[in-house]
Amino acid sequence: MSSTLLEVTRAAHEEVERFERLIVKDLQNEPATSKDRLYQSHRVRNMIDTIISTTEKLVEIYEDKDSARKDEIAALGGQTATGTNVFSAFYDRLKEIREYHRRHPVARVVDANEQDESLLKEEPVVEFTGEEAFGKYLDMHELYNQYVNLILDKKAGEPAMEYSTYLDVFSQPENIPRKLKYSRRYREYLENLLEYLVYFFQRTEPLQDLDRLFTKIISEFEDQWTNTMVQGWERNDLENGHEPTEHTVIDLDYYNTVEELREVGPEKLKEALAALGLKTGGTVQQRAERLFLTKHTPLEKLDKKHFAKGSKSSELNGGSASIKDLEMEKEIALMEAKIRKLCELLNETIERTRENVVKKQALTYDEMEAEREEEETQADTESDDEEQQIYNPLKLPMGWDGKPIPYWLYKLHGLGQEFKCEICGNYSYWGRRAYERHFKEWRHQHGMRCLGIPNTKNFNEITSIEEAKDLWKKIQERQGVNKWRPDLEEEYEDREGNIYNKKTYTDLQRQGLI
């Protein structure tokens, strides 16, 4: 409908201005909870997307490739092909506009206050798994299984990696051995990891411009790749006639003749030749001569007869295979660079996830259920009281009712006094009661377990790692044993609060007395 093009343009401009005002109004409201903040970000993101799509339509109208807009403007001045006068053209135009609004009632200028209010209270649908807890934690169990099954070498007898350990290492792809990076399975793992991190980042930070971020990463990566400075892919490489530093076995700068190089020994020469992809057979003299060639001659200029069949260096020397390999290396390195950047942006979430996993490992099923119910109750309370602003200038701890505790109670329990525990990772505990109670909590138990020391009452009030080690050493010397005896020293508590060692507790339980 060329006759209503100007009306469509006016309605589009009105819509853009309306959404701009809504965005400003929404961002002026400070969200009370993290869930409200996430809803607000997604609302703003949706409105920005609408503005972008509407603006693209306006650009097409103003470009006027089919001259429809030009003809309509000319018709407003009475310049018609039929030669009708200005008044006839005006009434014809008025009739067309009325007909347009009759067919499209949404385009009418109406008071949109009620509609705007409903938009500002809208809760967009954002999908999270139960493990992600509405964007609070990462859910990387599938990627962890893929990493363990495809990356780790089970034939080498390596112990199974724990999930908490994986959360520490997945953001450091540069530490993975280079030979594993050329496998198809590693590439699939890397693609899945990047896809999940991008998807999670888009759900938790919808206002961030990922396209601009990746454009900057690619620009920096191209410069680093040209200068062979990409992390994990540093190459004084085969293109320049030198082997990678990690493969260097023998520094040829210290040897001036083949006879001097022979003194290294046949095994060392064999290792150095294998690292370069050269043939490793022959006598000591032949090996030394073959290796000495690389001191003054780049690898790609060596005769193919010196290379082992199917070696990486032989392919590089071949030409076409080297281009394919370099492209594959560059693509993998770029994915690793994107993953590193996303991990930097999600660093707090990764750390929070790791702490949550370690905490869960120390909790029983009943404790986990109780904690889940407590979180649900807290979420309900926050949603009920989200409109109430709590006045707390002294930043006092919250009580059971969600309000700051009285100041006299704060002073009575000494909650302003800070206690740090080195065994808990220099974690701070406020107040004497929390400090004494933490010796039986999961964080301190985990720290003692990492030190290989039993968490018995002998170690109460000890927060220094060195003091704990010294005391454990003295206890072992006094007892004359080098191994902790759990049947005598491990403590158990019954429902009435009585403490028994493991042997006594087991006997009483077997007799049905507990």
Side-chain angles (χ1 to χ4, degrees):
M1 270 199 184
S2 61
S3 59
T4 58
L5 196 60
L6 292 180
E7 182 62 21
V8 171
T9 305
R10 182 204 64 77
H13 279 291
E14 182 184 14
E15 185 180 17
V16 169
E17 292 179 4
R18 173 169 159 262
F19 278 116
E20 286 177 350
R21 289 193 297 268
L22 281 174
I23 290 173
V24 173
K25 188 174 180 180
D26 200 354
L27 292 177
Q28 285 176 342
N29 299 324
E30 188 69 25
T33 63
S34 58
K35 183 181 289 188
D36 291 338
R37 184 195 66 81
L38 194 63
Y39 283 149
Q40 183 190 69
S41 299
H42 277 278
R43 280 196 302 270
V44 173
R45 178 76 262 174
N46 293 337
M47 287 188 280
I48 290 174
D49 291 339
T50 304
I51 290 174
I52 292 173
S53 61
T54 305
T55 305
E56 289 174 352
K57 294 178 183 178
L58 284 171
V59 170
E60 291 180 3
I61 293 174
Y62 283 118
E63 287 178 350
D64 199 18
K65 293 180 180 179
D66 57 356
S67 300
R69 183 170 178 271
K70 182 179 179 181
D71 294 342
E72 188 168 348
I73 293 174
L76 289 176
Q79 302 173 11
T80 62
T82 59
T84 56
N85 59 31
V86 176
F87 294 103
S88 298
F90 171 77
Y91 285 112
D92 289 341
R93 174 68 180 157
L94 180 61
K95 182 180 179 180
E96 290 174 357
I97 292 175
R98 285 175 175 173
E99 181 65 20
Y100 171 79
H101 281 289
R102 187 184 66 80
R103 294 179 182 178
H104 304 87
V106 179
R108 296 177 185 173
V109 181
V110 296
D111 186 7
N113 287 334
E114 293 184 2
Q115 185 180 0
D116 293 348
E117 289 298 326
S118 63
L119 279 174
L120 293 177
K121 294 179 180 179
E122 181 187 1
E123 295 184 356
V125 178
V126 189
E127 295 182 356
F128 287 101
T129 65
E131 187 72 21
E132 288 173 335
F134 215 79
K136 192 175 181 181
Y137 309 115
L138 292 166
D139 183 6
M140 306 189 67
H141 288 86
E142 291 185 9
L143 292 164
Y144 160 69
N145 291 330
Q146 191 176 357
Y147 183 91
V148 171
N149 293 332
L150 303 181
I151 304 301
L152 294 183
D153 186 6
K154 291 187 176 181
K155 295 181 180 179
E158 296 182 3
M161 177 182 289
E162 293 186 357
Y163 182 53
S164 58
T165 307
Y166 170 73
L167 293 173
D168 287 331
V169 302
F170 84 91
S171 59
Q172 304 164 1
E174 65 274 6
N175 294 335
I176 295 176
R178 181 75 66 86
K179 63 180 181 179
L180 291 177
K181 295 187 177 184
Y182 297 103
S183 65
R184 175 182 58 82
R185 293 185 292 181
Y186 174 75
R187 183 188 180 91
E188 291 177 356
Y189 161 76
L190 214 59
E191 290 173 350
N192 294 337
L193 176 59
L194 179 59
E195 182 182 359
Y196 174 76
L197 291 177
V198 168
Y199 182 48
F200 184 86
F201 190 77
Q202 288 174 338
R203 287 177 294 162
T204 55
E205 298 292 339
L207 296 181
Q208 291 284 350
D209 191 348
L210 262 182
D211 293 335
R212 179 183 294 181
L213 178 67
F214 281 162
T215 301
K216 184 178 179 181
I217 292 174
I218 293 172
S219 176
E220 294 175 353
F221 172 82
E222 291 293 342
D223 295 337
Q224 293 176 352
W225 184 261
T226 303
N227 299 323
T228 66
M229 296 296 291
V230 178
Q231 189 174 1
W233 297 86
E234 295 86 355
R235 296 148 42 112
N236 297 322
D237 64 5
L238 301 174
E239 296 175 352
N240 298 325
H242 299 287
E243 66 276 18
T245 306
E246 62 185 10
H247 287 160
T248 300
V249 178
I250 299 175
D251 190 351
L252 297 179
D253 292 338
Y254 292 100
Y255 302 94
N256 297 318
T257 63
V258 176
E259 285 69 24
E260 293 179 4
L261 192 57
R262 285 183 56 184
E263 301 299 324
V264 174
E267 293 302 322
K268 277 282 187 180
L269 291 171
K270 184 176 181 180
E271 292 177 4
L273 290 168
L276 295 172
L278 300 173
K279 292 180 179 179
T280 58
T283 62
V284 178
Q285 178 69 21
Q286 291 172 336
R287 294 179 185 178
E289 290 175 354
R290 195 178 303 126
L291 182 60
F292 197 74
L293 288 173
T294 63
K295 180 173 182 179
H296 304 293
T297 307
L299 282 176
E300 70 269 15
K301 293 184 180 180
L302 285 179
D303 197 317
K304 292 184 179 179
K305 67 180 182 180
H306 297 299
F307 292 95
K309 187 176 180 181
S311 68
K312 194 81 177 160
S313 300
S314 177
E315 292 179 0
L316 282 170
N317 205 35
S320 61
S322 65
I323 298 175
K324 183 178 180 181
D325 290 337
L326 288 174
E327 289 178 352
M328 181 185 68
E329 288 179 358
K330 185 176 180 180
E331 192 172 347
I332 293 174
L334 179 57
M335 282 194 289
E336 291 180 351
K338 291 180 179 179
I339 288 171
R340 275 192 294 270
K341 184 61 178 179
L342 288 171
C343 289
E344 289 179 12
L345 298 173
L346 295 170
N347 183 53
E348 292 184 6
T349 306
I350 295 172
E351 183 63 25
R352 191 162 54 239
T353 304
R354 191 186 65 80
E355 290 180 356
N356 183 57
V357 170
V358 174
K359 177 181 177 181
K360 282 186 175 180
Q361 290 175 345
L363 295 178
T364 64
Y365 177 77
D366 293 337
E367 290 173 334
M368 291 173 65
E369 284 296 311
E371 183 175 319
R372 183 183 61 81
E373 292 177 0
E374 183 180 350
E375 289 179 355
E376 291 179 354
T377 305
Q378 184 177 0
D380 294 338
T381 305
E382 288 178 351
S383 61
D384 294 338
D385 301 337
E386 59 184 2
E387 297 181 359
Q388 299 179 3
Q389 294 185 355
I390 299 175
Y391 181 69
N392 187 16
L394 297 178
K395 297 182 179 180
L396 300 174
M398 297 297 171
W400 61 270
D401 56 353
K403 298 179 181 179
I405 64 173
Y407 185 69
W408 64 267
L409 187 62
Y410 172 82
K411 297 295 290 184
L412 178 65
H413 289 288
L415 297 180
Q417 189 176 7
E418 181 183 13
F419 297 89
K420 281 194 174 183
C421 180
E422 186 181 3
I423 297 174
C424 296
N426 288 325
Y427 192 84
S428 296
Y429 297 93
W430 297 92
R432 184 71 191 179
R433 183 181 179 186
Y435 171 71
E436 292 176 352
R437 190 169 51 201
H438 98 276
F439 288 102
K440 295 181 180 179
E441 293 179 349
W442 66 269
R443 183 178 282 106
H444 193 83
Q445 291 175 356
H446 178 72
M448 294 291 283
R449 189 158 51 244
C450 291
L451 295 174
I453 301 175
N455 188 28
T456 62
K457 59 184 179 182
N458 295 326
F459 294 90
N460 281 3
E461 301 295 330
I462 292 181
T463 57
S464 170
I465 293 176
E466 290 299 324
E467 290 180 5
K469 288 182 177 179
D470 292 342
L471 180 58
W472 176 232
K473 186 176 180 181
K474 291 178 181 178
I475 291 175
Q476 288 179 316
E477 291 175 355
R478 187 172 66 247
Q479 293 179 346
V481 293
N482 293 322
K483 188 176 181 181
W484 180 50
R485 294 176 294 177
D487 56 332
L488 298 179
E489 298 180 20
E490 189 173 358
E491 296 180 343
Y492 287 78
E493 182 178 354
D494 61 9
R495 294 181 180 178
E496 298 177 357
N498 299 315
I499 305 297
Y500 307 97
N501 60 36
K502 182 177 181 180
K503 184 175 182 302
T504 305
Y505 183 86
T506 305
D507 291 341
L508 292 174
Q509 193 178 43
R510 191 180 295 114
Q511 297 172 23
L513 299 177
I514 296 180

